[in-house]
Amino acid sequence: MDHHSPSLLAALAAVVGDAHVLTGAQDTAPYVAEWRGHYPGIARAVVRPASTAQVSRVVRLCADAGVPLVPQGGNTGLVGGSTPDDSGREIVISLGRMTALRRVDPLDNSITLEAGCKVLAAQQAALECGRLFPLSLASEGSATIGGILSTNAGGEQVLRYGNTRDLTLGLEVVLADGRVLDALTTLRKDNTGYDLKQLFIGAEGTLGIVTAAAFKLYAQPRRTVTGWVALPHPQAAVEILAMLTDAVGERVTAFELLGREALDQVLAHPLDGMRDPLGGGYPWAVLFDVSETSASLDPSGAVEEVLGQALERGLASDAALAASGRQAQEFWSLREHVPEAQRLQGPSLKHDISVAVSAIPAFIEAADTALRAAMPGIRIVCFGHVGDGNLHYNQSKPLGMEDAAFRARAPEIHDIVHGIAAGMQGSISAEHGIGRLKQDAFMRHKSPVALDLMARIKVALDPDGVFNPGRVLPLARRTALGGTP
């Protein structure tokens, strides 16, 4: 069956219904570019199956016709991994109709959901049975379960609960030949051979299509202490994190670093009455949550003692604890609006690096120095999850520079940042993935042995390149090992 043949679209429509095979430009528009407008492409069609059985049949039809598929969830990605290329050959398979909550069990502390379910809906379903679904990220109202699995998303509470990989118990996956791998277990222990689900988590839709997943749930926190601390330098953040962890252990749930430029950009476009909790003037801030699940324990005394010690030692110049849930939300609103505030400043370059927590100050110093030497006046928007070593180390153009001139320097800036992170045995992508955006850096900085193994896994699971070809690994890696071009 030729991939341009109308008979393929007719066969797909027979599986999912005419209304769910979209071909018109207006209908496909939400699916063919990222939410920021990046990586626009042309889809042969957008197919919207409603069940695992339908996904299986769609994959089989496309595999037989030699037509590549681009799996897509909420399309909130940042690296060009979920949109079609401009060949007009690829079909987008959107799992947005598969939203069922299959099972939630508060005694088992597990929840089983279909891939199109929104992250926010998973949080609400857990809350309704008195449990916590701990994955929390800015795009949770749009991001889907399948999408967060494909990128191994992190978010603000990784420090305590882990990233998506740590939270996943089981998966249901449609393979490149249409077969369904049923590994949708909620077992905490299963040592029967290879842990196959781990192959598909973080694979960005290149090895299979996740159609459902089971996740761990946790007790709801009964008390949360939220603090905002003014710091003289990033080293103080690392030291205060260690002090807090010594005092309250795993109750440190989130620990976020914000540089002055990041905060100033938010305050230049204040929404909902946002203001600096401490009046300004300090170069760095930390925002943290310490949460307690026991009704009989209150961690606030221990937190206050740590902050007192930090002030005495000169690690902090001022600190504020939220006096109410509303004030805590105001603190967090400042952190969560950093990406939007930077967008309003014009073009920005984004980096999602990770290094060892203890190396964060050295990374910031080295990267700041190198970038300012390369581009005097560059504005460095540094913020992120310092508790797990993940920084969003972004840049805005120098004031007065033309947008095009700034964008033209992007490869040079990326090389500097990625080179410093890799030189510290860090990662060029902590939670956003590789997609198309970071492929060159990935190929340069990942070990040749690791790249070879990944290419072999791709050929083994998807020999004909049905799933997301050219994302993560370039096509040349697969064809060199005998896969179909």
Side-chain angles (χ1 to χ4, degrees):
M1 190 186 295
D2 181 74
H3 69 263
H4 289 298
S5 168
S7 58
L8 172 60
L9 299 187
L12 293 170
V15 173
V16 302
D18 288 332
H20 301 295
V21 177
L22 313 178
T23 55
Q26 190 170 350
D27 294 332
T28 62
Y31 302 89
V32 297
E34 286 189 347
W35 63 276
R36 296 184 298 171
H38 296 175
Y39 291 99
I42 304 166
R44 168 85 173 110
V46 176
V47 181
R48 303 177 68 243
S51 67
T52 301
Q54 288 187 6
V55 174
S56 172
R57 291 168 67 192
V58 167
V59 170
R60 183 71 264 170
L61 284 167
C62 290
D64 287 346
V67 175
L69 283 166
V70 178
Q72 190 178 99
N75 199 18
T76 61
L78 296 165
V79 294
S82 62
T83 55
D85 63 21
D86 57 7
S87 69
R89 184 170 175 260
E90 297 179 333
I91 286 178
V92 173
I93 180 167
S94 169
L95 274 68
R97 294 174 68 204
M98 296 181 59
T99 59
L101 168 63
R102 292 194 184 174
R103 181 170 174 260
V104 58
D105 188 335
L107 296 179
D108 195 30
N109 275 314
S110 69
I111 187 168
T112 305
L113 309 140
E114 289 187 346
C117 184
K118 301 285 198 299
V119 173
L120 187 59
Q123 295 171 358
Q124 291 169 340
L127 183 61
E128 286 170 10
C129 72
R131 293 292 181 265
L132 174 73
F133 180 79
L135 197 78
S136 176
L137 60 169
S139 60
E140 60 195 27
S142 305
T144 64
I145 293 302
I148 64 165
L149 283 158
S150 75
T151 58
N152 185 30
E156 292 158 355
Q157 301 190 108
V158 168
L159 180 57
R160 180 165 187 173
Y161 299 105
N163 55 23
T164 303
R165 190 182 298 281
D166 300 310
L167 297 170
T168 305
L169 292 168
L171 295 181
E172 177 184 84
V173 186
V174 175
L175 304 175
D177 58 6
R179 288 184 300 162
V180 178
L181 171 66
D182 182 1
L184 198 57
T185 173
T186 61
L187 296 176
R188 303 298 173 122
K189 288 183 173 181
D190 179 2
N191 203 21
T192 51
Y194 307 139
D195 188 357
L196 295 175
K197 71 176 181 290
Q198 298 295 352
L199 286 173
F200 303 98
I201 302 171
E204 301 182 49
T206 62
L207 300 180
I209 299 179
V210 174
T211 50
F215 295 98
K216 300 172 186 175
L217 297 180
Y218 293 84
Q220 279 282 344
R222 294 173 186 258
R223 303 172 188 265
T224 301
V225 180
T226 300
W228 185 280
V229 189
L231 311 176
H233 44 65
Q235 181 64 34
V238 173
E239 295 189 27
I240 291 172
L241 173 62
M243 293 163 65
L244 262 184
T245 305
D246 285 346
V248 298
E250 78 287 348
R251 295 173 183 82
V252 185
T253 305
F255 198 86
E256 302 282 306
L257 181 69
L258 291 95
R260 188 75 235 174
E261 180 66 35
L263 189 54
D264 282 347
Q265 290 192 5
V266 172
L267 294 173
H269 305 279
L271 303 169
D272 305 323
M274 288 188 290
R275 58 185 179 83
D276 190 324
L278 297 175
Y282 48 90
W284 295 91
V286 151
L287 169 62
F288 67 81
D289 276 350
V290 170
S291 58
E292 176 55 66
T293 58
S294 169
S296 60
L297 295 175
D298 183 351
S300 56
V303 171
E304 289 171 5
E305 186 174 340
V306 167
L307 293 180
Q309 293 170 1
L311 289 163
E312 286 177 13
R313 292 173 51 187
L315 296 174
S317 58
D318 201 356
L321 295 179
S324 64
R326 178 180 174 83
Q327 192 171 39
Q329 288 178 341
E330 290 171 356
F331 287 6
W332 274 102
S333 186
L334 290 165
R335 159 64 180 86
E336 289 162 357
H337 279 89
V338 173
E340 173 63 11
Q342 190 179 17
R343 186 186 68 80
L344 295 172
Q345 293 281 329
S348 62
L349 303 179
K350 298 187 181 296
H351 301 99
D352 167 48
I353 65 92
S354 64
V355 293
V357 172
S358 59
I360 282 175
F363 169 83
I364 292 173
E365 181 178 3
D368 282 7
T369 301
L371 290 187
R372 287 175 176 143
M375 186 183 289
I378 193 169
R379 291 178 291 162
I380 296 168
V381 181
C382 179
F383 65 104
H385 322 297
V386 70
D388 56 44
N390 175 198
L391 289 178
H392 300 301
Y393 185 79
N394 300 347
Q395 291 76 41
S396 293
K397 67 177 185 176
L399 295 174
M401 178 181 265
E402 293 291 331
D403 289 1
F406 181 62
R407 289 193 180 99
R409 300 282 299 278
E412 176 189 353
I413 301 300
H414 290 319
D415 285 350
I416 290 171
V417 174
H418 292 151
I420 292 171
M424 294 181 171
Q425 286 73 55
S427 171
I428 64 161
S429 181
E431 59 181 1
H432 292 166
I434 301 300
R436 286 178 274 178
L437 176 66
K438 297 183 180 178
Q439 191 176 85
D440 288 346
F442 172 63
M443 299 301 293
R444 186 180 314 126
H445 295 299
K446 200 72 178 176
S447 87
V449 174
L451 290 170
D452 179 64
L453 290 176
M454 290 180 194
R456 290 175 186 276
I457 290 167
K458 173 67 172 174
V459 169
L461 293 183
D462 184 17
D464 297 326
V466 175
F467 293 138
N468 241 1
R471 282 73 166 184
V472 185
L473 290 166
L475 294 174
R477 298 294 299 192
R478 188 179 71 248
T479 55
L481 290 169
T484 303

